[in-house]
């Protein structure tokens, strides 16, 4: 109990923790993002089928150009040492290679083609009014729980 | 103004949508040093609601509240787009895809999601089991095992030149191709679509 209390108090001192109005900016970015998802029809089950059947360039164009813009942005931030709005240096955690990226990645791909949605579009689909996708969302949360429960027994 | 609203209501081309999605990466970094990622929200929801003493969910999820606010924003964005900016016309699906899906039993190509599958009527049927429960479960399990989804790995990871993210993205695609070309015909038949 004592250690738990200590840990909590340490965590609360981390400057990155934001609360209240400070969080509003992420809501706004999310809203813009959701609108783009819907207006480009990325949330469509059919667009994902076109992609996996190689019958339309659309999704490849979306993901490819998003990567290109992301890459240029990160390079600019690093080379020009652009700071955050609070003046912090931008820090991006490195990704370590794990077997999960192969096995888990493949499993996610199977689900992506079935649901026609990766995690972002699941939220947007619900917002648009496809309320039955709430079941997909609950299942995804449950799937993550199952992963967490058995994570230590899976090849990593 | 009227013509702008008119223009914005039509589906946006990939070269508008893709770069705007890419800009989410620097936006989140510069607003608060946050890495672009969406599937982690599933983990935070578990940590907040059902940690069940599982070490994987025992962390201070409150520090990650921004991520939950961000995905709530995505949901609200979907709502706003459908109420104020909705496209009056039906979605245009590639003819070859329509032909392929028609042989699998999909008959309705008018909305973003096929009405043959995505209905509340289907939740206690095999269709619901495969397309919502198993499909969603695979997405939740797979993304967490892989350590990210299309946003965290394909966009954020590759943008930051992380080769493990490229590996993950290749296997996302391989999984999708496998489901579409190998399993989907059987699932469509089993669930009574074909």
């Amino acid at each position: 109990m004592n250690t738990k209390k200590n840990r909590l108090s340490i965590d609360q001192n981390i400057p990155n923790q934001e609360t209240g109005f400070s969080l509003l900016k992420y809501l706004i970015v999310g809203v813009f993002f959701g609108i783009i998802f819907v207006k480009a029809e990325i949330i469509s089950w059919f667009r994902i089928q076109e992609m996996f059947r190689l019958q339309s360039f659309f999704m490849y164009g979306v993901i490819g150009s998003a990567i290109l813009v992301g890459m240029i942005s990160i390079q600019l931030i690093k080379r020009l040492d652009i700071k955050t709005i609070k003046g912090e240096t931008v820090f991006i955690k490195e990704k370590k290679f794990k077997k999960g990226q192969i096995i888990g990645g493949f499993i996610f791909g199977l689900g992506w083609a079935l649901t026609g949605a990766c995690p972002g579009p699941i939220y947007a689909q619900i917002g648009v009014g496809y309320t039955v996708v709430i079941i997909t969302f609950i299942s995804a949360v449950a799937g993550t729980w199952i992963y967490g429960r058995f994570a230590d027994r899976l090849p990593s | 103004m009227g013509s702008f609203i008119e223009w914005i209501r039509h589906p946006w081309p990939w070269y508008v949508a893709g770069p705007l999605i890419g800009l989410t990466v620097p936006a989140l970094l510069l607003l608060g040093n946050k890495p672009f990622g969406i599937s982690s929200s599933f983990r935070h929801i578990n940590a907040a609601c059902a940690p069940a003493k599982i070490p994987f969910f025992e962390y201070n999820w409150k520090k990650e509240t921004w991520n939950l606010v961000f995905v709530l924003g995505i949901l609200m964005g979907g709502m706003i787009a459908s109420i104020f900016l909705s496209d009056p016309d039906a979605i245009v699906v590639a003819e070859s895809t329509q032909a392929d899906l028609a042989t699998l039993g999909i008959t309705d190509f008018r909305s973003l999601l096929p009405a043959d599958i995505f209905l509340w009527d289907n939740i206690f049927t095999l269709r619901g089991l495969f397309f919502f429960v198993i499909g969603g479960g695979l997405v939740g399990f797979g993304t967490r095992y892989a350590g990210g989804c299309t946003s965290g790995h394909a966009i954020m990871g590759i943008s930051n030149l992380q080769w493990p993210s490229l590996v993950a993205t290749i296997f996302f695609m391989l999984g999708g191709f496998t489901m579409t070309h190998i399993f989907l015909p059987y699932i469509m038949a089993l669930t009574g679509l074909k």
Side-chain angles (χ1 to χ4, degrees), chain A residues 62-87:
Chain A
V62 167
I63 298 174
S65 57
I67 293 172
L68 190 69
V69 169
M71 208 180 271
I72 294 168
S73 311
I74 291 178
Q75 285 304 315
L76 286 175
I77 288 173
K78 283 184 177 170
R79 284 172 197 219
L80 304 176
D81 194 24
I82 301 171
K83 307 282 187 200
T84 71
I85 52 169
K86 280 189 187 162

Side-chain angles (χ1 to χ4, degrees), chain B residues 8-21:
Chain B
I8 216 168
R9 276 173 177 269
H10 286 289
W12 301 356
W14 64 263
Y15 48 84
V16 172
L20 286 174
I21 292 172

